[in-house]
Amino acid sequence: MTSATYKNYNDRFKSGLRDHDKRSTDATGPALVAGAAGFGLGLLAAAGRRAAVQAVTYAAGDWFEGLKAEHKLARGIMEKLADTTEEDQGKRATLVLQLQHAIGKHNVQEEYVVYCILAEHGDTAAANTLNSEHFELKKGLHELEVIGKEQRPGFLEKLGEIRSVFEAHVTEEETEVFPRLHASLSPEQQKSLTNRMNREGFKVA
Ligand SMILES: [Fe+2]
Ligand SMILES: [Fe+2]
């Protein structure tokens, strides 16, 4: 999150708290104010955490570079998962959650912004194909979570399937579709796409 966005968020929080403060003067008093402050601090902490998560993508400075950095991040989590054994149930559960979050946030950015711009630029077929591959990934991650939770056999096999769907999808994005889109956008359009993508990512980071 940019410092401007954070300031905006902070200002909105503070003005909400002031309004609440006024209302509660002749109502239930200090307890409510303290409750609101605690809730507000929780919101601020969540905003700070989301900013930290989005920072990797934002720091890349360009939508395509940001997405490539996120592909690398997800690949790294899958590599750690591939090194686990049946004995590492807790570690598997944590890594599956991390992977779902990383891929989920990544996919929101692509589905709500990048694929829409792709379709706007006439590449609807590619947008549809990539979108349906995201569903395959979601389904695979759901199955992986269930296999892990129920401690059923086949965890690493399912992970292997997810990795091959992921790598084929990422190769398509990184070597064909995204370079084509990148080349067709003006510097202003690149900037706008990068900003919109980071905004979507921040919402779900
Ligand atoms: Fe994708
Ligand atoms: Fe992607």
Side-chain angles (χ1 to χ4, degrees):
M1 179 170 55
T2 63
S3 57
T5 317
Y6 189 83
K7 186 179 178 309
N8 189 12
Y9 192 92
N10 199 14
D11 288 345
R12 270 176 22 222
F13 160 66
K14 280 180 182 161
S15 84
L17 197 58
R18 275 197 300 275
D19 289 349
H20 182 92
D21 212 353
K22 276 180 223 147
R23 285 197 305 274
S24 59
T25 310
D26 52 4
T28 44
L32 251 182
V33 177
F39 177 67
L41 288 173
L43 283 180
L44 276 179
R49 188 198 55 77
R50 289 207 301 268
V53 171
Q54 191 62 23
V56 179
T57 315
Y58 184 76
D62 168 77
W63 65 272
F64 189 15
E65 292 306 313
L67 292 176
K68 282 194 275 190
E70 292 187 350
H71 290 157
K72 224 170 150 183
L73 184 81
R75 186 178 292 119
I77 301 171
M78 286 188 268
E79 281 164 6
K80 284 186 193 163
L81 271 170
D83 286 339
T84 60
T85 67
E86 299 293 321
E87 276 74 57
D88 303 321
Q89 297 303 331
K91 192 174 177 190
R92 279 185 173 178
T94 305
L95 287 169
V96 167
L97 258 181
Q98 280 178 13
L99 186 60
Q100 285 172 329
H101 185 243
I103 289 186
K105 187 192 85 78
H106 179 81
N107 289 0
V108 162
Q109 292 170 167
E110 291 184 340
E111 290 171 15
Y112 281 77
V113 182
V114 184
Y115 296 175
C116 298
I117 307 272
L118 252 184
E120 265 174 28
H121 282 72
D123 220 343
T124 311
N128 280 333
T129 304
L130 293 171
N131 203 40
S132 67
E133 289 167 359
H134 278 191
F135 178 69
E136 285 306 304
L137 279 171
K138 278 179 224 167
K139 197 162 130 305
L141 288 171
H142 163 74
E143 288 162 358
L144 188 69
E145 183 187 337
V146 173
I147 291 171
K149 269 186 183 157
E150 297 178 359
Q151 302 196 11
R152 296 205 313 249
F155 185 90
L156 291 178
E157 289 76 6
K158 181 55 67 183
L159 178 67
E161 285 172 27
I162 294 169
R163 288 178 89 182
S164 66
V165 172
F166 175 82
E167 290 303 338
H169 177 80
V170 161
T171 301
E172 212 175 337
E173 288 184 336
E174 290 192 5
T175 65
E176 296 171 36
V177 184
F178 291 172
R180 208 156 61 216
L181 179 63
H182 209 273
S184 72
L185 299 176
S186 69
E188 290 72 31
Q189 287 172 320
Q190 304 280 10
K191 204 175 160 196
S192 157
L193 172 44
T194 301
N195 288 340
R196 287 181 58 201
M197 190 189 85
N198 276 297
R199 187 196 62 198
E200 286 306 312
F202 173 72
K203 285 184 196 166
V204 290

